[in-house]
Amino acid sequence: MLANILRTTVLSAAALLALWLAVGPLPQPMGASAGVVLLTLVLWATGALPPFVTGLIFFAAVLIPGLARPDLIFAGFGSAAVWLIVSGFVIGAAIRRTGLGARLAAALAPLAAGSYARLVTVMTITAMALGFVMPSSVGRAVVLVPVGMALADRLGLVAGTKGRAGLAVALALACNMPSFAILPSNIPNMILAGAAETQYGVGFSYMSYLVLHYPLLGVAKSAVAVLLVIWLFPDRARETAGAPASSPDAVAGTGAEARVAVILGLTLLLWMTDAWHGVNPAWIGIASAVLLLLPGIGAVPAKEFNAAVDFGMIVFVAAALGLGALVNASGIGAAVGGAVLAVLPLEAGQSFVNFLSLSLLSAVTGLVTTIPGVPAVLTPMAQDMVQTTGLSLQAVLMTQVVGFSTVVFPYQVGPLILAMQLSGERLGHLVRVTLPLTAVTLVLLLPLDWLWWRLLGWL
């Protein structure tokens, strides 16, 4: 009851503020756009409506009054991220239907068996290791989440148990968050690298980026996430007598399983070598999905495509990307960044305060623009930040990573949504960990990160 009252209060306040923005002091159409963005973000953050319904409301609220061009707002449907998610659903369905996930789970069982804490830790480490060889958070989730859920079945963590939900959350986070600290393994990293090179001629070294970020943002943050999952979703592994029963629609025999294994292996190989051949991982994923849907070759009947792909989630991700595009095109992002920058206590010689302030600026911007939009908004301001703080240009740019790797709500990062959808667990479970993880990051990890930067001579 208290939660419902609080949510109603927040929504009412957001609606009034959105109306004030739409008719108030801001120039149009920025003011109306800001109102729509605010209400959309609050609806997503509170979960008052299904995410895809909020996404449809966003599309209607922007397009009917003509706040932005349709090609800008619907650009998300043409993005590589959306099509990588579509192919991910098909690949995940094939892994489940053929029993390949159960077979891989059986191979991991000796390492993960024994305790629930060990299971969560082993799967987290596996996802972190995969981040070094696979450049896509979606790809990592597609491969590991079905395997993790099959392993949960094998260890008695069936649907409805806390342990299964906790493992799903751990995998969602591990497939995404540590890769913020690996230069080519996450989209925001590459957007930042491209913007820095284009606007300032600054290039980032793979090893210097890794050494600067991975110890705290990769290893320490993942360790905290594991501890939070074990604490918030307590359970125990209870290994069953044998492998879990096949699903009712599982493909009989090992032929389909072998074909899916070959297709998946080739897909992984092409994803890992995209720097050599230059083909976008999303287009590789589409080709793999086509093979998996072809009669006689794949394992997902074409008639089951609609069941395999969660189109509500596709609408949600496309809306999130469209919102980021609107924020950037309307000037909201630059206005928010500039307003926050104006009140931050930035001062030359105050490296600790400057580091925390710039990191928080990046994190707050990500709440408005979603995470991929942070580099696009903040990178053009970097030179002004250099003059104010006295920090080097590279240091100012790198504080963005500290901020945009701090994910507060799932709507900020599409791959987190996909991972939870693949697991079959509720998205709300993820928020139970991201909120305290953000608090620990701000209170503990950011000061430690500042010390690490000082030790390396970046500050």
Side-chain angles (χ1 to χ4, degrees):
M1 178 65 71
L2 181 60
N4 289 334
I5 293 174
L6 180 60
R7 183 164 63 183
T8 301
T9 302
V10 170
L11 287 173
S12 300
L16 290 174
L17 182 56
L19 181 61
W20 177 77
L21 288 171
V23 299
L26 297 177
Q28 298 300 333
M30 181 190 289
S33 298
V36 172
V37 168
L38 172 66
L39 196 56
T40 302
L41 293 177
V42 171
L43 285 171
W44 275 337
T46 60
L49 294 172
F52 76 92
V53 174
T54 299
L56 292 174
I57 292 173
F58 166 74
F59 287 138
V62 172
L63 295 173
I64 290 175
L67 299 180
R69 304 186 318 273
D71 60 328
L72 174 72
I73 299 304
F74 288 139
F77 287 104
S79 71
V82 163
W83 290 101
L84 193 56
I85 290 172
V86 171
S87 62
F89 276 125
V90 176
I91 295 171
I95 291 173
R96 289 191 302 271
R97 291 188 81 254
T98 59
L100 181 60
R103 186 178 295 276
L104 294 174
L108 283 173
L111 296 175
S115 73
Y116 171 61
R118 185 175 180 181
L119 167 66
V120 172
T121 302
V122 166
M123 294 307 297
T124 296
I125 293 173
T126 302
M128 292 173 66
L130 199 57
F132 286 95
V133 295
M134 184 181 293
S136 165
S137 296
V138 171
R140 293 189 289 274
V142 166
V143 173
L144 283 184
V145 171
V147 174
M149 294 303 98
L151 188 54
D153 288 335
R154 187 180 184 89
L155 299 179
L157 301 173
V158 297
T161 60
K162 291 183 179 180
R164 188 181 186 88
L167 179 60
V169 170
L171 279 170
L173 295 176
C175 286
N176 183 260
M177 286 197 175
S179 59
F180 283 115
I182 307 171
L183 183 57
S185 292
N186 233 335
I187 291 174
N189 309 358
M190 298 309 296
I191 295 175
L192 173 60
E197 184 172 3
T198 300
Q199 297 177 33
Y200 302 109
V202 173
F204 301 143
S205 160
Y206 177 94
M207 281 306 300
S208 64
Y209 188 100
L210 185 73
V211 171
L212 182 66
H213 295 303
Y214 203 76
L216 273 300
L217 302 184
V219 177
K221 199 167 191 177
S222 295
V224 172
V226 167
L227 293 174
L228 286 172
V229 166
I230 295 170
W231 175 48
L232 295 170
F233 299 90
D235 211 327
R236 62 183 180 86
R238 17 185 196 274
E239 188 161 2
T240 55
S246 299
S247 61
D249 61 345
V251 179
T254 60
E257 182 182 337
R259 292 195 300 273
V260 170
V262 170
I263 294 171
L264 180 60
L266 291 174
T267 302
L268 290 175
L269 179 63
L270 291 171
W271 274 343
M272 289 186 291
T273 57
D274 70 330
W276 294 347
H277 55 68
V279 180
N280 190 296
W283 317 148
I284 295 170
I286 288 178
S288 301
V290 169
L291 291 175
L292 292 170
L293 289 164
L294 287 178
I297 297 177
V300 181
K303 63 182 180 181
E304 294 185 14
F305 177 76
N306 288 342
V309 178
D310 186 335
F311 288 98
M313 208 278 279
I314 299 300
V315 170
F316 164 63
V317 172
L321 294 173
L323 182 140
L326 175 65
V327 166
N328 288 330
S330 65
I332 296 172
V336 170
V340 176
L341 186 62
V343 300
L344 290 176
L346 300 176
E347 184 179 349
Q350 302 294 321
S351 66
F352 181 67
V353 173
N354 292 335
F355 175 81
L356 292 184
S357 298
L358 293 179
S359 299
L360 288 173
L361 172 63
S362 176
V364 170
T365 303
L367 289 171
V368 180
T369 65
T370 70
I371 297 304
V374 172
V377 170
L378 294 185
T379 302
M381 305 179 189
Q383 195 61 58
D384 293 334
M385 298 175 191
V386 168
Q387 295 175 0
T388 304
T389 63
L391 299 176
S392 69
L393 178 59
Q394 283 209 345
V396 168
L397 292 170
M398 287 297 95
T399 59
Q400 289 187 38
V401 182
V402 181
F404 66 56
S405 64
T406 305
V407 180
V408 183
F409 298 108
Y411 75 80
Q412 296 177 263
V413 182
L416 291 179
I417 313 295
L418 171 67
M420 294 305 292
Q421 291 280 11
L422 288 173
S423 73
E425 296 294 327
R426 291 192 299 110
L427 190 60
H429 292 315
L430 196 57
V431 184
R432 292 181 59 191
V433 175
T434 57
L435 290 178
L437 182 59
T438 298
V440 173
T441 299
L442 298 179
V443 173
L444 177 63
L445 296 185
L446 256 64
L448 289 176
D449 213 10
W450 172 77
L451 289 173
W452 179 244
W453 284 40
R454 292 272 292 182
L455 181 64
L456 295 177
W458 278 73
L459 296 173

